Amino acid sequence: MTVPDLPELDVDVPVIEPEALKARIDEGEALTILDNRVPSEHEDWRIDGENVSHVNIPYFEFLDEELDESLFEELPEDEEFVVLCAKGHSSEYVAGLLIQEGYDAVALERGMNGWASIYEYTELETDGDALVAQYQRPSSGCLAYLVVDGDEAAVVDPLRYFADEYVADAKALGAELTYAVDTHIHADHISGVRTLVEDHGVAGVIPEAAEARGVDYDTPYETIADGETLTVGDTDIEAIHTPGHTTGMTTYAVDNVLFTGDGLFIESVARPDLEDGDEGAPDAAGMLYGSLQERVLSHDDDAIVASAHFSDAAIPADDGSYTATLGELKETMNALSMPKDEFVEFILSDMPPRPANYVDIIETNLGVQESDDDRAFELELGPNNCAASNEALTN
């Protein structure tokens, strides 16, 4: 929605940075958020937390010269609240207007775009010598991983918007980023592999099985087949073909860590309909069952599942990472012990809406269409819907 020119207000509007807001939410502080976007946008994608409450009033309701008193009925009168919109413009105006009315309001810097810019780094505890770190994007649930051994590093499932961060973090750890690796052709974010190749000279790697989907770009890349390895320092990264979410879906094993991409999450399993739609979903769900049973669950129970996404239903581990051991998932996720026919029927029974803009995102990642940085950022705004369910499948 295009925001018109807003009236000038003679008031200083305090702002809160997205990182500061997230810290307060993580600490369990009770907060009220006034969302000035239209109701459909608010329902599709918003900032949630254990003690976060929402009031949704579109900004244009505040443009009348005579404000309706009902607008103020749900606003807290004796505590600070946060006002947000898509990009931070209209919410700053509304916050200023409410300050003039005597309310304690602050505006979220850059609105939901600012929220989508948060990227957090957490190191995992593993059995190997390599350092493995998880990147978390709270706005969309996207996860990426940095693997560092000696003076070499690799990033798994990088996001284009954060490409420079991977290079800088590897350098800070005394390493050069040598590989950028995708688990599959993503449908909910723009991959950073091509950007890292073009801007930083990193070797780009995609699964050999994913190439057949129609990869069509001039950027040089390598492919990796089932059973092949990449070496970072003295650490091997082994490719394990695990089709189901897509035909090219590939898990990577590093010591006792399994980068499962969108095949297995810590709270759910993959949705099977993003490559061949509803018609191909039953066969894809059957492939997913075989991949999980024969190629993932066959690893030791202490193997760490490190997926490419998490949802609002996911519960982080004690170290703050979105990881779980295979043993934990076997105990708590009944779908992993179902017979094949029951599993397929269950997975197909209640899938959430497909990710926003998923066709454009897939085509951008294939190279079929091009997106500049601004459009790429806009395409991937919104929640993650790559799992087979919105609710956790764990007990």
Side-chain angles (χ1 to χ4, degrees), residues 265-268 309-317 322 390-392 394:
F265 308 103
I266 66 167
E267 77 283 20
S268 189
H309 296 101
F310 68 97
S311 71
D312 290 339
I315 299 174
Y322 286 93
N390 276 328
E391 303 298 325
T394 46

Side-chain angles (χ1 to χ4, degrees), residues 1 40 53 72 91 116 188 225 271 278 307 309 333 358 365 370:
M1 175 178 290
S40 60
S53 57
F72 306 103
S91 57
D188 68 330
R271 65 183 304 154
D278 294 337
S307 65
H309 296 101
M333 195 179 299
Y358 79 100
N365 285 331
E370 294 297 328

Side-chain angles (χ1 to χ4, degrees), residues 7 28 47 71 109 131 166 171 176 178 267 313 353 360 385 391:
I47 299 173
L71 291 176
E109 180 73 15
L131 178 149
Y166 311 124
K171 184 177 180 181
E176 179 181 356
T178 53
E267 77 283 20
D360 287 329
N385 286 326
E391 303 298 325

Side-chain angles (χ1 to χ4, degrees), residues 151-190:
D151 60 359
E152 294 183 330
V155 62
V156 178
D157 286 333
L159 279 67
R160 174 172 162 179
Y161 185 75
F162 301 100
D164 292 344
E165 289 198 31
Y166 311 124
V167 177
D169 287 348
K171 184 177 180 181
L173 292 166
E176 179 181 356
L177 192 64
T178 53
Y179 290 111
V181 188
D182 267 341
T183 54
H184 64 297
I185 305 298
H186 289 278
D188 68 330
H189 70 261
I190 306 301

Side-chain angles (χ1 to χ4, degrees), residues 199-213:
D199 294 354
H200 299 283
V202 177
V205 182
I206 64 173
E208 182 180 78
E211 191 178 28
R213 286 192 68 180

Side-chain angles (χ1 to χ4, degrees), residues 236-257:
D236 288 337
I237 301 174
E238 180 188 0
I240 305 169
H241 186 214
T242 49
H245 176 62
T246 67
T247 51
M249 182 69 241
T250 295
T251 294
Y252 297 103
V254 177
D255 299 319
N256 69 321
V257 180

